Amino acid sequence: MGNKINIWYFSSFVISIIVAVPIITVFSSFFETTGGYVTVLKNTFLLDYIYNSLILLTGVLTLTFIIGVGCAYLVSFYKFPGVNFFKWALILSFAVPAYIYAYSLTAFFENYGTAFSILKNLLGEGNYNAHIPKFDGMLGAIISISFSLFGYIYVLTRASFHYQSQNLIELGKNLGFSKQKSFFKIILPSARPAIVAGLSLVAMETLSDFGSVSFFGVSTLTTGIYNAWISFDDLTLANRLSSYLLIFILGLFVIENLSRKKAQYHTSSKGGFKSKSVVHLYNYKSILAFLFCTLVFFLSFLFPVFQMLYWTIIFPKHFLDLNLIELFSNTMLLVFLSCCLLILLAFISNYGNRVSKSKFLEALNTFSISGYAIPGIILAVAFITFISWLDLNMINYLGTETIKPIFIGSIFGLILVYFIRFYSLANNGIKSGYLKINYSIDESAYLLGYSKLKTFKNIHVPYLKNSVLLIGILLTIEIIKELPITLIMRPFNFETFATKAYIYASQDLLEAAAAPSLLLILIASCFILITSRYILKD
């Protein structure tokens, strides 16, 4: 039995090390020399990269906070027409990647775009371009990313609001608080952990965004990393810029934790939990709540869908030119292989931690899953850096053939980077399920003569099947939308819906990007609707 424990321990250890490799590679760049571009960068664009990243982050966090918390508050505390529809419809924004929203925004408001066509058909000929607002540059990037990501804050904050006790609200009334004061002094502070968790996810996704900022021509640290590697062939500098970005993200977490000090957010069990009562809205208040949620739903989901659908209908040639079977097959192949690998290894890692009860292994696993905070483009660059280093040393010291073609520009390498990128999602999902399984169940199985493998296969896997289904769907949504990793690591001439849309858009063929963008949104929406029964289950 001791050997079997060692096998599980070793397996979990190896998995954690593999996931941690990019993080170690990124920070190792401090000990390496860079090319001459680093001097040019310091004297020219570096401050612009940092300034633009901060402006982008501030704008997105502000807008997503207002939209996400506002919608969550309305659907959680009030009853108005359509509230049950909005509870699940608002999470459909997850189906629209920021780069596709950027295409839609530009297509609608550009000169002689969709807005111009609508005005021309309604009012006749006229110089409408002078009066149509232009959403490009930094403003366009903030709007595109915000409407794509506010769902993180909406889902987490709504879950927190749902479990808030009526006792807290009644306390505010007894203290003479108005509804507005109760919201800012009681309801909002008690939901702070959920809001901060949502804002943290938004911050990581914003700083890692590549598709929309490159489309709008906004120079951020992420585009700087890409340019350092692609334009100047300086992997070391790309990793060093990545380390700055990682330190910045980790710094945000530290500041937030310090700001909380010893504050507690759990509800005291004294007096028991009392479900909150929902307030029915009438007259103009009901109309305003309905209009706010309708506006958010339209702007975040219907607007990009209608824009992509409009262009697909107007320019059917681009749709007919698509090899739909190949694009769908490629996308689903990556989804299937990645999900199988992620879920299997997350199972093995968590079970290894469970049976070994090693503090070191638990700490290593915690460190490795912080890789989710690493932007996809950084992971791809770090992975290529590590493989290049390993390849060089194997050739020099072992005299082997090059291994680069196995890992770089291959489906195998692409799936490995997906594994590192999304391991945190799979691992945490399985771990949360394992926390519900009492250790006494394992001990009972051992007393009945079950081996650890048999316990894992016959007890744990069936028990966690619902968690596995949910994790698989969430992973599918993320992989379908993933752009930078797929763009960098894919084999030559291997296209998915995401890469096809980006390539067309980068060539300024937005009407051609409409069809693959629309199909990507529809496929992701189907999986999100399935997931919503778990996320929004009351």
Side-chain angles (χ1 to χ4, degrees), residues 233-255:
D233 195 24
D234 195 339
L235 275 175
T236 302
L237 178 58
N239 281 308
R240 189 170 295 183
L241 289 173
S242 302
S243 66
Y244 297 153
L245 190 55
L246 271 182
I247 291 170
F248 181 72
I249 292 171
L250 293 173
L252 290 177
F253 292 147
V254 171
I255 291 170

Side-chain angles (χ1 to χ4, degrees), residues 371-386:
Y372 187 74
I374 303 178
I377 190 170
I378 298 177
L379 277 181
V381 171
F383 181 80
I384 292 172
T385 303
F386 174 76

Side-chain angles (χ1 to χ4, degrees), residues 47-61:
L47 288 179
D48 287 339
Y49 290 160
I50 295 172
Y51 175 77
N52 289 338
S53 296
L54 289 173
I55 294 296
L56 180 69
L57 182 63
T58 304
V60 171
L61 289 180

Side-chain angles (χ1 to χ4, degrees), residues 458-478:
N458 293 352
I459 297 177
H460 294 176
V461 173
Y463 184 87
L464 295 172
K465 63 182 180 181
N466 285 336
S467 296
V468 170
L469 176 62
L470 175 59
I471 294 164
I473 294 172
L474 293 175
L475 288 171
T476 298
I477 296 167
E478 292 292 336

Side-chain angles (χ1 to χ4, degrees), residues 49-64 137-146 202-203 205-210 212-214 216 218-222:
Y49 290 160
I50 295 172
Y51 175 77
N52 289 338
S53 296
L54 289 173
I55 294 296
L56 180 69
L57 182 63
T58 304
V60 171
L61 289 180
T62 302
L63 193 54
T64 52
M138 181 63 75
L139 179 59
I142 290 173
I143 292 173
S144 300
I145 297 172
S146 298
V202 170
E205 294 289 343
T206 301
L207 291 173
S208 68
D209 181 82
F210 173 73
S212 58
V213 291
S214 63
F216 282 119
V218 178
S219 298
T220 63
L221 281 170
T222 306

